[in-house]
Amino acid sequence: MVPAEAYSAFTYQYDTIAPTNPTTIEVTPTGYTAIDNYAFLWTPDASDDYSGIAKFQYRTDGDVANMWVDINDPSVFQLTIPNADHPAGAYQSGKNKFYLRTVDNAGNISEPLMQEYYYSASAPTPPENLVVAPQTSQVNFFSFSWDQPASFVGEADKLTYYYSINVLPTPNNVVATNVRAAGPGSFATQKGQNTFFVVAADQAGNIGYNNYASVNFFAETSAPGVPGNIQIFDTSDRENAEYSIAVKWVKPDELSLGNFDGYVIYRSEDNLNFTEIAK
């Protein structure tokens, strides 16, 4: 028999219900980047009605399977990777995945919450199938078109293309376009052979100026005619000793606007040696 006064009461708690995750995770930057550095921010609304939240855990899809890194302070709601506990952020060019889960004091673990993030470290390969129409013309009027690169990271409609004429492309001499075409327009800068170069840049801004496609085109143009009916007017202010003239002319007959670049004015004191003074 056990005496009525001889007992020891104790209380125990039992929790088998997983905690609730934060509602959402956001990442900065949101798009592609060439810099391996990401900030993750989640809503501070994770909860557990029984034993309480003990910690968060995170991993990326590049980590060893089932390897999780602890965030031991449950009041934390942001994280930057890479960091001391996780020395690598992105593991591959393209799409990466960040997972976050909640652990309560009874050891119950929530299903992971996932956020995608994007990394690009390599420049696109040259644009493909670059063509010009026409290849040879007596008028400076050409069109160019090309296809997307064979290899690039990100979305095709987010690629930007840069082209140059008769000089290898550099950051200082290119024209940008978001479409896979240029022209029609006056692209030749010299008579005879000209060369059109085009390169591609991805969403992260990766661009290899040596990764260009090129095509030759030929402007078999003729020189414009001679301007006619040249007139010179004295517009000097002699009283104030300010001397000037005005020159007027008529455009050449049959002037081709596709070949026309402007007029150049020369001056000579002996009708033998001329110096350019205006264009």
Side-chain angles (χ1 to χ4, degrees):
M1 296 180 62
V2 178
E5 65 279 4
Y7 73 94
S8 177
F10 63 91
T11 301
Y12 66 94
Q13 295 177 323
Y14 182 61
D15 179 5
T16 60
I17 299 176
T20 301
N21 276 328
T23 304
T24 58
I25 307 177
E26 296 180 353
V27 61
T28 303
T30 57
Y32 277 90
T33 177
I35 301 174
D36 185 10
N37 189 277
Y38 302 87
F40 296 90
L41 175 69
W42 52 91
T43 50
D45 56 356
S47 62
D48 186 87
D49 293 334
Y50 300 99
S51 59
I53 295 174
K55 61 184 177 181
F56 295 109
Q57 292 181 322
Y58 73 93
R59 67 183 304 272
T60 73
D61 57 344
D63 289 325
V64 177
N66 297 320
M67 186 196 85
W68 292 85
V69 180
D70 288 338
I71 303 174
N72 290 310
D73 184 351
S75 66
V76 168
F77 56 91
Q78 58 186 350
L79 173 75
T80 299
I81 58 171
N83 57 52
D85 295 323
H86 198 274
Y91 288 87
Q92 61 185 7
S93 285
K95 183 186 297 183
N96 292 264
K97 295 180 179 179
F98 174 84
Y99 298 95
L100 180 74
R101 68 184 188 180
T102 308
V103 182
D104 68 16
N105 285 294
N108 299 302
I109 301 173
S110 68
E111 288 296 320
L113 189 63
M114 187 271 288
Q115 172 64 51
E116 294 178 344
Y117 62 107
Y118 307 93
Y119 179 65
S120 176
S122 58
T125 56
E128 302 226 308
N129 304 320
L130 172 62
V131 295
V132 57
Q135 188 166 35
T136 301
S137 176
Q138 295 181 347
V139 179
N140 187 5
F141 203 64
F142 299 89
S143 297
F144 302 87
S145 62
W146 56 88
D147 293 332
Q148 67 189 39
S151 176
F152 61 93
V153 176
E155 300 177 36
D157 60 358
K158 298 295 178 61
L159 291 170
T160 303
Y161 299 94
Y162 296 87
Y163 64 83
S164 61
I165 309 294
N166 290 332
V167 289
L168 292 175
T170 71
N172 302 318
N173 65 11
V174 291
V175 178
T177 178
N178 291 320
V179 297
R180 298 195 303 272
S186 302
F187 288 92
T189 62
Q190 60 192 23
K191 184 176 180 179
Q193 178 175 307
N194 293 260
T195 305
F196 180 95
F197 300 90
V198 61
V199 297
D202 65 15
Q203 289 173 263
N206 293 304
I207 181 170
Y209 285 99
N210 291 326
N211 293 348
Y212 60 78
S214 64
V215 65
N216 294 328
F217 61 106
F218 300 85
E220 301 300 343
T221 56
S222 57
V226 179
N229 195 26
I230 299 176
Q231 302 176 62
I232 298 176
F233 304 92
D234 186 353
T235 57
S236 301
D237 180 356
R238 299 182 183 281
E239 183 177 343
N240 294 305
E242 295 177 354
Y243 300 100
S244 62
I245 61 171
V247 183
K248 178 181 178 182
W249 61 88
V250 175
K251 71 178 182 179
D253 294 334
E254 301 179 0
L255 179 66
S256 171
L257 295 180
N259 296 335
F260 178 70
D261 189 47
Y263 299 95
V264 182
I265 300 173
Y266 298 86
R267 182 171 67 88
S268 174
E269 295 181 358
D270 58 9
N271 205 31
L272 295 174
N273 302 297
F274 291 83
T275 301
E276 180 181 324
I277 61 172
K279 187 172 183 179

